[in-house]
PDB file of all heavy atoms in Angstrom:
ATOM      1  N   GLU G  15      20.045 -62.890  35.428  1.00  0.00           N
ATOM      2  CA  GLU G  15      20.808 -63.368  36.555  1.00  0.00           C
ATOM      3  C   GLU G  15      22.119 -62.594  36.805  1.00  0.00           C
ATOM      4  O   GLU G  15      22.471 -62.231  37.856  1.00  0.00           O
ATOM      5  CB  GLU G  15      21.199 -64.821  36.476  1.00  0.00           C
ATOM      6  CG  GLU G  15      20.013 -65.755  36.591  1.00  0.00           C
ATOM      7  CD  GLU G  15      20.402 -67.318  36.172  1.00  0.00           C
ATOM      8  OE1 GLU G  15      21.501 -67.524  35.746  1.00  0.00           O
ATOM      9  OE2 GLU G  15      19.450 -68.173  36.416  1.00  0.00           O
ATOM     10  N   LEU G  16      22.766 -62.163  35.689  1.00  0.00           N
ATOM     11  CA  LEU G  16      23.955 -61.377  35.635  1.00  0.00           C
ATOM     12  C   LEU G  16      23.639 -60.032  36.243  1.00  0.00           C
ATOM     13  O   LEU G  16      24.485 -59.416  37.100  1.00  0.00           O
ATOM     14  CB  LEU G  16      24.702 -61.372  34.264  1.00  0.00           C
ATOM     15  CG  LEU G  16      25.355 -62.540  33.779  1.00  0.00           C
ATOM     16  CD1 LEU G  16      25.722 -62.356  32.333  1.00  0.00           C
ATOM     17  CD2 LEU G  16      26.474 -62.820  34.743  1.00  0.00           C
ATOM     18  N   LEU G  17      22.508 -59.483  35.865  1.00  0.00           N
ATOM     19  CA  LEU G  17      22.200 -58.121  36.187  1.00  0.00           C
ATOM     20  C   LEU G  17      21.817 -57.945  37.697  1.00  0.00           C
ATOM     21  O   LEU G  17      21.954 -56.786  38.112  1.00  0.00           O
ATOM     22  CB  LEU G  17      21.076 -57.614  35.308  1.00  0.00           C
ATOM     23  CG  LEU G  17      21.437 -57.359  33.801  1.00  0.00           C
ATOM     24  CD1 LEU G  17      20.036 -57.033  33.082  1.00  0.00           C
ATOM     25  CD2 LEU G  17      22.405 -56.362  33.669  1.00  0.00           C
ATOM     26  N   GLU G  18      21.430 -59.057  38.285  1.00  0.00           N
ATOM     27  CA  GLU G  18      21.102 -59.037  39.752  1.00  0.00           C
ATOM     28  C   GLU G  18      22.199 -58.515  40.568  1.00  0.00           C
ATOM     29  O   GLU G  18      21.987 -58.145  41.730  1.00  0.00           O
ATOM     30  CB  GLU G  18      20.345 -60.425  40.158  1.00  0.00           C
ATOM     31  CG  GLU G  18      19.137 -60.677  39.680  1.00  0.00           C
ATOM     32  CD  GLU G  18      18.634 -62.039  40.055  1.00  0.00           C
ATOM     33  OE1 GLU G  18      19.285 -62.810  40.794  1.00  0.00           O
ATOM     34  OE2 GLU G  18      17.552 -62.358  39.599  1.00  0.00           O
ATOM     35  N   THR G  19      23.400 -58.792  40.177  1.00  0.00           N
ATOM     36  CA  THR G  19      24.566 -58.606  41.009  1.00  0.00           C
ATOM     37  C   THR G  19      24.969 -57.187  41.158  1.00  0.00           C
ATOM     38  O   THR G  19      25.608 -56.828  42.117  1.00  0.00           O
ATOM     39  CB  THR G  19      25.768 -59.459  40.467  1.00  0.00           C
ATOM     40  OG1 THR G  19      26.112 -58.875  39.169  1.00  0.00           O
ATOM     41  CG2 THR G  19      25.627 -60.872  40.316  1.00  0.00           C
ATOM     42  N   ASP G  20      24.547 -56.258  40.230  1.00  0.00           N
ATOM     43  CA  ASP G  20      24.831 -54.895  40.292  1.00  0.00           C
ATOM     44  C   ASP G  20      23.722 -54.013  39.580  1.00  0.00           C
ATOM     45  O   ASP G  20      23.571 -54.083  38.481  1.00  0.00           O
ATOM     46  CB  ASP G  20      26.156 -54.595  39.550  1.00  0.00           C
ATOM     47  CG  ASP G  20      26.669 -53.164  39.814  1.00  0.00           C
ATOM     48  OD1 ASP G  20      25.863 -52.231  40.110  1.00  0.00           O
ATOM     49  OD2 ASP G  20      27.839 -52.978  39.647  1.00  0.00           O
ATOM     50  N   LEU G  21      22.985 -53.283  40.353  1.00  0.00           N
ATOM     51  CA  LEU G  21      21.794 -52.661  39.860  1.00  0.00           C
ATOM     52  C   LEU G  21      22.160 -51.455  39.003  1.00  0.00           C
ATOM     53  O   LEU G  21      21.166 -50.897  38.303  1.00  0.00           O
ATOM     54  CB  LEU G  21      20.863 -52.293  41.046  1.00  0.00           C
ATOM     55  CG  LEU G  21      20.320 -53.305  41.795  1.00  0.00           C
ATOM     56  CD1 LEU G  21      19.482 -52.834  43.056  1.00  0.00           C
ATOM     57  CD2 LEU G  21      19.485 -54.319  41.057  1.00  0.00           C
ATOM     58  N   TYR G  22      23.400 -51.079  39.123  1.00  0.00           N
ATOM     59  CA  TYR G  22      23.764 -49.810  38.424  1.00  0.00           C
ATOM     60  C   TYR G  22      24.698 -50.059  37.192  1.00  0.00           C
ATOM     61  O   TYR G  22      25.164 -49.263  36.571  1.00  0.00           O
ATOM     62  CB  TYR G  22      24.310 -48.768  39.371  1.00  0.00           C
ATOM     63  CG  TYR G  22      23.370 -48.388  40.424  1.00  0.00           C
ATOM     64  CD1 TYR G  22      23.352 -48.917  41.660  1.00  0.00           C
ATOM     65  CD2 TYR G  22      22.309 -47.491  40.060  1.00  0.00           C
ATOM     66  CE1 TYR G  22      22.437 -48.643  42.651  1.00  0.00           C
ATOM     67  CE2 TYR G  22      21.386 -47.113  41.068  1.00  0.00           C
ATOM     68  CZ  TYR G  22      21.554 -47.651  42.307  1.00  0.00           C
ATOM     69  OH  TYR G  22      20.664 -47.350  43.294  1.00  0.00           O
ATOM     70  N   LEU G  23      25.189 -51.275  37.036  1.00  0.00           N
ATOM     71  CA  LEU G  23      26.210 -51.539  36.049  1.00  0.00           C
ATOM     72  C   LEU G  23      25.615 -51.313  34.636  1.00  0.00           C
ATOM     73  O   LEU G  23      24.557 -51.792  34.354  1.00  0.00           O
ATOM     74  CB  LEU G  23      26.546 -53.127  36.100  1.00  0.00           C
ATOM     75  CG  LEU G  23      27.546 -53.640  35.215  1.00  0.00           C
ATOM     76  CD1 LEU G  23      28.935 -52.983  35.617  1.00  0.00           C
ATOM     77  CD2 LEU G  23      27.782 -55.153  35.334  1.00  0.00           C
ATOM     78  N   PRO G  24      26.250 -50.604  33.842  1.00  0.00           N
ATOM     79  CA  PRO G  24      25.795 -50.247  32.486  1.00  0.00           C
ATOM     80  C   PRO G  24      25.781 -51.553  31.630  1.00  0.00           C
ATOM     81  O   PRO G  24      26.567 -52.381  31.734  1.00  0.00           O
ATOM     82  CB  PRO G  24      26.837 -49.233  31.954  1.00  0.00           C
ATOM     83  CG  PRO G  24      27.517 -48.708  33.108  1.00  0.00           C
ATOM     84  CD  PRO G  24      27.483 -49.775  34.117  1.00  0.00           C
ATOM     85  N   LEU G  25      24.718 -51.630  30.758  1.00  0.00           N
ATOM     86  CA  LEU G  25      24.610 -52.816  29.961  1.00  0.00           C
ATOM     87  C   LEU G  25      24.552 -52.428  28.488  1.00  0.00           C
ATOM     88  O   LEU G  25      23.872 -51.525  27.950  1.00  0.00           O
ATOM     89  CB  LEU G  25      23.323 -53.482  30.273  1.00  0.00           C
ATOM     90  CG  LEU G  25      22.709 -54.592  29.485  1.00  0.00           C
ATOM     91  CD1 LEU G  25      23.656 -55.726  29.457  1.00  0.00           C
ATOM     92  CD2 LEU G  25      21.299 -54.999  29.785  1.00  0.00           C
ATOM     93  N   VAL G  26      25.482 -53.210  27.671  1.00  0.00           N
ATOM     94  CA  VAL G  26      25.465 -53.032  26.314  1.00  0.00           C
ATOM     95  C   VAL G  26      25.026 -54.470  25.823  1.00  0.00           C
ATOM     96  O   VAL G  26      25.773 -55.313  25.939  1.00  0.00           O
ATOM     97  CB  VAL G  26      26.856 -52.663  25.853  1.00  0.00           C
ATOM     98  CG1 VAL G  26      27.014 -52.675  24.341  1.00  0.00           C
ATOM     99  CG2 VAL G  26      27.389 -51.320  26.407  1.00  0.00           C
ATOM    100  N   VAL G  27      23.994 -54.540  25.066  1.00  0.00           N
ATOM    101  CA  VAL G  27      23.564 -55.812  24.322  1.00  0.00           C
ATOM    102  C   VAL G  27      23.908 -55.629  22.932  1.00  0.00           C
ATOM    103  O   VAL G  27      23.461 -54.721  22.284  1.00  0.00           O
ATOM    104  CB  VAL G  27      22.006 -56.016  24.660  1.00  0.00           C
ATOM    105  CG1 VAL G  27      21.546 -57.204  23.918  1.00  0.00           C
ATOM    106  CG2 VAL G  27      21.700 -56.125  26.140  1.00  0.00           C
ATOM    107  N   LEU G  28      24.673 -56.683  22.548  1.00  0.00           N
ATOM    108  CA  LEU G  28      24.898 -56.642  21.052  1.00  0.00           C
ATOM    109  C   LEU G  28      24.101 -57.580  20.341  1.00  0.00           C
ATOM    110  O   LEU G  28      24.172 -58.883  20.605  1.00  0.00           O
ATOM    111  CB  LEU G  28      26.457 -56.902  20.763  1.00  0.00           C
ATOM    112  CG  LEU G  28      27.453 -55.895  21.395  1.00  0.00           C
ATOM    113  CD1 LEU G  28      28.871 -56.381  21.095  1.00  0.00           C
ATOM    114  CD2 LEU G  28      27.213 -54.565  20.921  1.00  0.00           C
ATOM    115  N   ALA G  29      23.260 -57.202  19.463  1.00  0.00           N
ATOM    116  CA  ALA G  29      22.197 -58.145  18.737  1.00  0.00           C
ATOM    117  C   ALA G  29      23.129 -58.499  17.519  1.00  0.00           C
ATOM    118  O   ALA G  29      23.077 -57.878  16.463  1.00  0.00           O
ATOM    119  CB  ALA G  29      21.036 -57.380  18.383  1.00  0.00           C
ATOM    120  N   ASN G  30      23.782 -59.569  17.569  1.00  0.00           N
ATOM    121  CA  ASN G  30      24.718 -60.074  16.513  1.00  0.00           C
ATOM    122  C   ASN G  30      23.899 -60.723  15.480  1.00  0.00           C
ATOM    123  O   ASN G  30      22.747 -61.185  15.628  1.00  0.00           O
ATOM    124  CB  ASN G  30      25.778 -60.938  17.179  1.00  0.00           C
ATOM    125  CG  ASN G  30      26.965 -61.048  16.052  1.00  0.00           C
ATOM    126  OD1 ASN G  30      27.165 -60.131  15.331  1.00  0.00           O
ATOM    127  ND2 ASN G  30      27.834 -62.144  16.205  1.00  0.00           N
ATOM    128  N   LYS G  31      24.470 -60.919  14.346  1.00  0.00           N
ATOM    129  CA  LYS G  31      24.063 -61.618  13.106  1.00  0.00           C
ATOM    130  C   LYS G  31      22.674 -60.751  12.496  1.00  0.00           C
ATOM    131  O   LYS G  31      21.874 -61.408  12.041  1.00  0.00           O
ATOM    132  CB  LYS G  31      23.695 -63.111  13.472  1.00  0.00           C
ATOM    133  CG  LYS G  31      24.904 -63.736  13.810  1.00  0.00           C
ATOM    134  CD  LYS G  31      24.572 -65.288  13.984  1.00  0.00           C
ATOM    135  CE  LYS G  31      25.893 -66.122  14.480  1.00  0.00           C
ATOM    136  NZ  LYS G  31      25.556 -67.531  14.588  1.00  0.00           N
ATOM    137  N   GLN G  32      22.785 -59.547  12.601  1.00  0.00           N
ATOM    138  CA  GLN G  32      21.719 -58.801  11.984  1.00  0.00           C
ATOM    139  C   GLN G  32      21.694 -58.832  10.478  1.00  0.00           C
ATOM    140  O   GLN G  32      20.634 -58.690   9.899  1.00  0.00           O
ATOM    141  CB  GLN G  32      21.799 -57.386  12.488  1.00  0.00           C
ATOM    142  CG  GLN G  32      21.430 -57.066  13.944  1.00  0.00           C
ATOM    143  CD  GLN G  32      19.840 -57.196  14.054  1.00  0.00           C
ATOM    144  OE1 GLN G  32      19.102 -56.465  13.492  1.00  0.00           O
ATOM    145  NE2 GLN G  32      19.426 -58.094  14.809  1.00  0.00           N
ATOM    146  N   ASP G  33      22.656 -59.365   9.898  1.00  0.00           N
ATOM    147  CA  ASP G  33      22.761 -59.537   8.428  1.00  0.00           C
ATOM    148  C   ASP G  33      22.109 -60.859   7.955  1.00  0.00           C
ATOM    149  O   ASP G  33      21.871 -61.077   6.788  1.00  0.00           O
ATOM    150  CB  ASP G  33      24.255 -59.393   7.942  1.00  0.00           C
ATOM    151  CG  ASP G  33      25.153 -60.489   8.724  1.00  0.00           C
ATOM    152  OD1 ASP G  33      24.814 -60.832   9.746  1.00  0.00           O
ATOM    153  OD2 ASP G  33      26.075 -60.970   7.883  1.00  0.00           O
ATOM    154  N   ASN G  34      21.838 -61.712   8.879  1.00  0.00           N
ATOM    155  CA  ASN G  34      21.116 -63.043   8.573  1.00  0.00           C
ATOM    156  C   ASN G  34      19.713 -62.892   8.268  1.00  0.00           C
ATOM    157  O   ASN G  34      19.054 -62.170   8.888  1.00  0.00           O
ATOM    158  CB  ASN G  34      21.334 -64.042   9.716  1.00  0.00           C
ATOM    159  CG  ASN G  34      22.817 -64.561   9.834  1.00  0.00           C
ATOM    160  OD1 ASN G  34      23.703 -64.281   9.129  1.00  0.00           O
ATOM    161  ND2 ASN G  34      22.950 -65.493  10.779  1.00  0.00           N
ATOM    162  N   GLN G  35      19.307 -63.603   7.255  1.00  0.00           N
ATOM    163  CA  GLN G  35      17.916 -63.486   6.923  1.00  0.00           C
ATOM    164  C   GLN G  35      17.145 -64.152   8.131  1.00  0.00           C
ATOM    165  O   GLN G  35      17.583 -65.208   8.535  1.00  0.00           O
ATOM    166  CB  GLN G  35      17.672 -64.385   5.710  1.00  0.00           C
ATOM    167  CG  GLN G  35      16.213 -64.232   5.183  1.00  0.00           C
ATOM    168  CD  GLN G  35      15.937 -64.741   3.730  1.00  0.00           C
ATOM    169  OE1 GLN G  35      17.065 -64.970   3.004  1.00  0.00           O
ATOM    170  NE2 GLN G  35      14.780 -64.765   3.390  1.00  0.00           N
ATOM    171  N   GLY G  36      16.060 -63.581   8.576  1.00  0.00           N
ATOM    172  CA  GLY G  36      15.404 -64.187   9.706  1.00  0.00           C
ATOM    173  C   GLY G  36      15.935 -63.562  10.948  1.00  0.00           C
ATOM    174  O   GLY G  36      15.281 -63.979  12.048  1.00  0.00           O
ATOM    175  N   ALA G  37      16.826 -62.685  10.956  1.00  0.00           N
ATOM    176  CA  ALA G  37      17.266 -62.090  12.297  1.00  0.00           C
ATOM    177  C   ALA G  37      16.023 -61.109  12.739  1.00  0.00           C
ATOM    178  O   ALA G  37      15.465 -60.530  11.956  1.00  0.00           O
ATOM    179  CB  ALA G  37      18.521 -61.322  12.094  1.00  0.00           C
ATOM    180  N   CYS G  38      15.873 -61.154  14.100  1.00  0.00           N
ATOM    181  CA  CYS G  38      14.750 -60.477  14.622  1.00  0.00           C
ATOM    182  C   CYS G  38      15.279 -58.929  14.655  1.00  0.00           C
ATOM    183  O   CYS G  38      16.396 -58.509  14.577  1.00  0.00           O
ATOM    184  CB  CYS G  38      14.570 -60.900  16.073  1.00  0.00           C
ATOM    185  SG  CYS G  38      15.663 -60.316  17.293  1.00  0.00           S
ATOM    186  N   SER G  39      14.300 -58.137  14.788  1.00  0.00           N
ATOM    187  CA  SER G  39      14.510 -56.693  14.846  1.00  0.00           C
ATOM    188  C   SER G  39      15.067 -56.258  16.311  1.00  0.00           C
ATOM    189  O   SER G  39      14.873 -57.136  17.243  1.00  0.00           O
ATOM    190  CB  SER G  39      13.239 -55.871  14.658  1.00  0.00           C
ATOM    191  OG  SER G  39      12.265 -56.039  15.705  1.00  0.00           O
ATOM    192  N   ILE G  40      15.472 -55.069  16.431  1.00  0.00           N
ATOM    193  CA  ILE G  40      16.085 -54.698  17.673  1.00  0.00           C
ATOM    194  C   ILE G  40      14.772 -54.382  18.627  1.00  0.00           C
ATOM    195  O   ILE G  40      14.983 -54.925  19.789  1.00  0.00           O
ATOM    196  CB  ILE G  40      16.617 -53.342  17.477  1.00  0.00           C
ATOM    197  CG1 ILE G  40      18.062 -53.383  16.649  1.00  0.00           C
ATOM    198  CG2 ILE G  40      17.082 -52.680  18.940  1.00  0.00           C
ATOM    199  CD1 ILE G  40      19.004 -54.383  17.269  1.00  0.00           C
ATOM    200  N   THR G  41      13.754 -54.139  18.195  1.00  0.00           N
ATOM    201  CA  THR G  41      12.576 -53.984  19.081  1.00  0.00           C
ATOM    202  C   THR G  41      12.077 -55.343  19.572  1.00  0.00           C
ATOM    203  O   THR G  41      11.705 -55.545  20.768  1.00  0.00           O
ATOM    204  CB  THR G  41      11.437 -53.273  18.312  1.00  0.00           C
ATOM    205  OG1 THR G  41      11.861 -51.988  17.808  1.00  0.00           O
ATOM    206  CG2 THR G  41      10.129 -53.199  19.145  1.00  0.00           C
ATOM    207  N   THR G  42      12.131 -56.447  18.699  1.00  0.00           N
ATOM    208  CA  THR G  42      11.631 -57.711  19.056  1.00  0.00           C
ATOM    209  C   THR G  42      12.655 -58.234  20.161  1.00  0.00           C
ATOM    210  O   THR G  42      12.173 -58.846  21.045  1.00  0.00           O
ATOM    211  CB  THR G  42      11.673 -58.731  17.853  1.00  0.00           C
ATOM    212  OG1 THR G  42      10.750 -58.143  16.966  1.00  0.00           O
ATOM    213  CG2 THR G  42      11.260 -60.017  18.228  1.00  0.00           C
ATOM    214  N   LEU G  43      13.935 -58.115  19.990  1.00  0.00           N
ATOM    215  CA  LEU G  43      14.926 -58.526  20.803  1.00  0.00           C
ATOM    216  C   LEU G  43      14.778 -57.720  22.221  1.00  0.00           C
ATOM    217  O   LEU G  43      14.832 -58.376  23.209  1.00  0.00           O
ATOM    218  CB  LEU G  43      16.348 -58.322  20.331  1.00  0.00           C
ATOM    219  CG  LEU G  43      17.374 -58.929  21.194  1.00  0.00           C
ATOM    220  CD1 LEU G  43      17.221 -60.515  21.292  1.00  0.00           C
ATOM    221  CD2 LEU G  43      18.832 -58.658  20.642  1.00  0.00           C
ATOM    222  N   HIS G  44      14.385 -56.563  22.201  1.00  0.00           N
ATOM    223  CA  HIS G  44      14.392 -55.708  23.451  1.00  0.00           C
ATOM    224  C   HIS G  44      13.186 -56.391  24.296  1.00  0.00           C
ATOM    225  O   HIS G  44      13.300 -56.533  25.540  1.00  0.00           O
ATOM    226  CB  HIS G  44      14.004 -54.259  23.134  1.00  0.00           C
ATOM    227  CG  HIS G  44      13.940 -53.355  24.241  1.00  0.00           C
ATOM    228  ND1 HIS G  44      12.887 -53.311  25.090  1.00  0.00           N
ATOM    229  CD2 HIS G  44      14.831 -52.408  24.742  1.00  0.00           C
ATOM    230  CE1 HIS G  44      13.104 -52.368  26.040  1.00  0.00           C
ATOM    231  NE2 HIS G  44      14.234 -51.932  25.701  1.00  0.00           N
ATOM    232  N   GLU G  45      12.052 -56.810  23.558  1.00  0.00           N
ATOM    233  CA  GLU G  45      10.902 -57.370  24.219  1.00  0.00           C
ATOM    234  C   GLU G  45      11.330 -58.787  24.709  1.00  0.00           C
ATOM    235  O   GLU G  45      10.949 -59.162  25.859  1.00  0.00           O
ATOM    236  CB  GLU G  45       9.696 -57.366  23.287  1.00  0.00           C
ATOM    237  CG  GLU G  45       9.173 -55.976  22.946  1.00  0.00           C
ATOM    238  CD  GLU G  45       8.152 -55.967  21.871  1.00  0.00           C
ATOM    239  OE1 GLU G  45       7.862 -56.892  21.319  1.00  0.00           O
ATOM    240  OE2 GLU G  45       7.725 -54.780  21.588  1.00  0.00           O
ATOM    241  N   ALA G  46      11.907 -59.473  23.746  1.00  0.00           N
ATOM    242  CA  ALA G  46      12.349 -61.018  24.155  1.00  0.00           C
ATOM    243  C   ALA G  46      13.118 -61.127  25.249  1.00  0.00           C
ATOM    244  O   ALA G  46      12.990 -61.944  26.156  1.00  0.00           O
ATOM    245  CB  ALA G  46      12.845 -61.739  23.029  1.00  0.00           C
ATOM    246  N   LEU G  47      14.033 -60.070  25.554  1.00  0.00           N
ATOM    247  CA  LEU G  47      15.087 -60.093  26.753  1.00  0.00           C
ATOM    248  C   LEU G  47      14.430 -59.335  27.895  1.00  0.00           C
ATOM    249  O   LEU G  47      15.081 -59.164  29.045  1.00  0.00           O
ATOM    250  CB  LEU G  47      16.381 -59.582  26.334  1.00  0.00           C
ATOM    251  CG  LEU G  47      17.017 -60.336  25.279  1.00  0.00           C
ATOM    252  CD1 LEU G  47      18.379 -59.550  24.981  1.00  0.00           C
ATOM    253  CD2 LEU G  47      17.360 -61.723  25.707  1.00  0.00           C
ATOM    254  N   SER G  48      13.201 -58.800  27.790  1.00  0.00           N
ATOM    255  CA  SER G  48      12.598 -58.038  28.752  1.00  0.00           C
ATOM    256  C   SER G  48      13.539 -56.916  29.467  1.00  0.00           C
ATOM    257  O   SER G  48      13.682 -56.661  30.505  1.00  0.00           O
ATOM    258  CB  SER G  48      12.013 -58.845  30.074  1.00  0.00           C
ATOM    259  OG  SER G  48      11.208 -59.858  29.496  1.00  0.00           O
ATOM    260  N   LEU G  49      14.068 -56.182  28.418  1.00  0.00           N
ATOM    261  CA  LEU G  49      14.991 -55.124  28.724  1.00  0.00           C
ATOM    262  C   LEU G  49      14.284 -53.910  29.541  1.00  0.00           C
ATOM    263  O   LEU G  49      15.012 -53.194  30.209  1.00  0.00           O
ATOM    264  CB  LEU G  49      15.813 -54.657  27.575  1.00  0.00           C
ATOM    265  CG  LEU G  49      16.702 -55.750  26.961  1.00  0.00           C
ATOM    266  CD1 LEU G  49      17.439 -55.143  25.777  1.00  0.00           C
ATOM    267  CD2 LEU G  49      17.789 -56.229  27.960  1.00  0.00           C
ATOM    268  N   GLU G  50      13.113 -53.851  29.381  1.00  0.00           N
ATOM    269  CA  GLU G  50      12.340 -52.757  30.055  1.00  0.00           C
ATOM    270  C   GLU G  50      12.476 -53.089  31.551  1.00  0.00           C
ATOM    271  O   GLU G  50      12.161 -52.192  32.423  1.00  0.00           O
ATOM    272  CB  GLU G  50      10.991 -52.674  29.627  1.00  0.00           C
ATOM    273  CG  GLU G  50       9.950 -53.902  30.042  1.00  0.00           C
ATOM    274  CD  GLU G  50      10.120 -55.077  29.001  1.00  0.00           C
ATOM    275  OE1 GLU G  50      10.870 -54.949  28.107  1.00  0.00           O
ATOM    276  OE2 GLU G  50       9.399 -56.117  29.359  1.00  0.00           O
ATOM    277  N   GLU G  51      12.719 -54.309  31.944  1.00  0.00           N
ATOM    278  CA  GLU G  51      12.807 -54.637  33.432  1.00  0.00           C
ATOM    279  C   GLU G  51      14.211 -54.507  33.993  1.00  0.00           C
ATOM    280  O   GLU G  51      14.376 -54.768  35.205  1.00  0.00           O
ATOM    281  CB  GLU G  51      12.476 -56.056  33.691  1.00  0.00           C
ATOM    282  CG  GLU G  51      10.974 -56.377  33.274  1.00  0.00           C
ATOM    283  CD  GLU G  51      10.687 -57.827  33.291  1.00  0.00           C
ATOM    284  OE1 GLU G  51      11.523 -58.685  33.767  1.00  0.00           O
ATOM    285  OE2 GLU G  51       9.646 -58.152  32.755  1.00  0.00           O
ATOM    286  N   VAL G  52      15.179 -53.897  33.303  1.00  0.00           N
ATOM    287  CA  VAL G  52      16.654 -53.941  33.809  1.00  0.00           C
ATOM    288  C   VAL G  52      16.739 -52.804  34.806  1.00  0.00           C
ATOM    289  O   VAL G  52      17.886 -52.660  35.392  1.00  0.00           O
ATOM    290  CB  VAL G  52      17.670 -53.782  32.667  1.00  0.00           C
ATOM    291  CG1 VAL G  52      17.556 -55.136  31.881  1.00  0.00           C
ATOM    292  CG2 VAL G  52      17.553 -52.619  31.973  1.00  0.00           C
ATOM    293  N   GLY G  53      15.862 -51.774  34.981  1.00  0.00           N
ATOM    294  CA  GLY G  53      15.867 -50.786  35.943  1.00  0.00           C
ATOM    295  C   GLY G  53      16.098 -49.413  35.387  1.00  0.00           C
ATOM    296  O   GLY G  53      16.912 -49.283  34.324  1.00  0.00           O
ATOM    297  N   ASP G  54      15.621 -48.468  36.084  1.00  0.00           N
ATOM    298  CA  ASP G  54      15.752 -47.064  35.518  1.00  0.00           C
ATOM    299  C   ASP G  54      17.024 -46.421  35.862  1.00  0.00           C
ATOM    300  O   ASP G  54      17.450 -45.525  35.274  1.00  0.00           O
ATOM    301  CB  ASP G  54      14.550 -46.308  36.174  1.00  0.00           C
ATOM    302  CG  ASP G  54      13.220 -46.669  35.785  1.00  0.00           C
ATOM    303  OD1 ASP G  54      13.048 -47.175  34.642  1.00  0.00           O
ATOM    304  OD2 ASP G  54      12.299 -46.438  36.555  1.00  0.00           O
ATOM    305  N   GLN G  55      17.794 -47.055  36.774  1.00  0.00           N
ATOM    306  CA  GLN G  55      19.117 -46.542  37.221  1.00  0.00           C
ATOM    307  C   GLN G  55      20.257 -46.934  36.286  1.00  0.00           C
ATOM    308  O   GLN G  55      21.300 -46.362  36.427  1.00  0.00           O
ATOM    309  CB  GLN G  55      19.536 -46.861  38.665  1.00  0.00           C
ATOM    310  CG  GLN G  55      18.376 -46.471  39.581  1.00  0.00           C
ATOM    311  CD  GLN G  55      18.137 -44.959  39.659  1.00  0.00           C
ATOM    312  OE1 GLN G  55      19.119 -44.167  39.626  1.00  0.00           O
ATOM    313  NE2 GLN G  55      16.988 -44.512  39.867  1.00  0.00           N
ATOM    314  N   ARG G  56      19.961 -47.868  35.432  1.00  0.00           N
ATOM    315  CA  ARG G  56      21.083 -48.477  34.640  1.00  0.00           C
ATOM    316  C   ARG G  56      21.091 -47.837  33.244  1.00  0.00           C
ATOM    317  O   ARG G  56      20.079 -47.662  32.630  1.00  0.00           O
ATOM    318  CB  ARG G  56      20.749 -49.967  34.594  1.00  0.00           C
ATOM    319  CG  ARG G  56      21.817 -50.658  33.783  1.00  0.00           C
ATOM    320  CD  ARG G  56      21.461 -52.270  33.349  1.00  0.00           C
ATOM    321  NE  ARG G  56      20.728 -52.958  34.551  1.00  0.00           N
ATOM    322  CZ  ARG G  56      21.443 -53.509  35.641  1.00  0.00           C
ATOM    323  NH1 ARG G  56      22.876 -53.522  35.512  1.00  0.00           N
ATOM    324  NH2 ARG G  56      20.802 -54.055  36.656  1.00  0.00           N
ATOM    325  N   LYS G  57      22.308 -47.620  32.782  1.00  0.00           N
ATOM    326  CA  LYS G  57      22.423 -47.193  31.438  1.00  0.00           C
ATOM    327  C   LYS G  57      22.329 -48.444  30.450  1.00  0.00           C
ATOM    328  O   LYS G  57      22.944 -49.484  30.714  1.00  0.00           O
ATOM    329  CB  LYS G  57      23.806 -46.675  31.111  1.00  0.00           C
ATOM    330  CG  LYS G  57      23.940 -45.176  31.756  1.00  0.00           C
ATOM    331  CD  LYS G  57      25.313 -44.756  31.435  1.00  0.00           C
ATOM    332  CE  LYS G  57      25.573 -43.359  32.169  1.00  0.00           C
ATOM    333  NZ  LYS G  57      27.029 -42.883  31.886  1.00  0.00           N
ATOM    334  N   LEU G  58      21.396 -48.392  29.520  1.00  0.00           N
ATOM    335  CA  LEU G  58      21.176 -49.550  28.619  1.00  0.00           C
ATOM    336  C   LEU G  58      21.449 -49.101  27.134  1.00  0.00           C
ATOM    337  O   LEU G  58      20.924 -48.183  26.726  1.00  0.00           O
ATOM    338  CB  LEU G  58      19.737 -49.849  28.869  1.00  0.00           C
ATOM    339  CG  LEU G  58      19.233 -50.985  27.791  1.00  0.00           C
ATOM    340  CD1 LEU G  58      19.919 -52.298  27.841  1.00  0.00           C
ATOM    341  CD2 LEU G  58      17.838 -51.203  27.985  1.00  0.00           C
TER     342      LEU G  58
END
């Protein structure tokens, strides 16, 4: 929803709590948030 407002706004996702047991991998989070859909014009 936030990304819809600006198709070129750079995005920095911080996967916090990576030190916790059971934290997902970066790849899993990328898939869970569907980051492949954020657009080719955006820095991610």
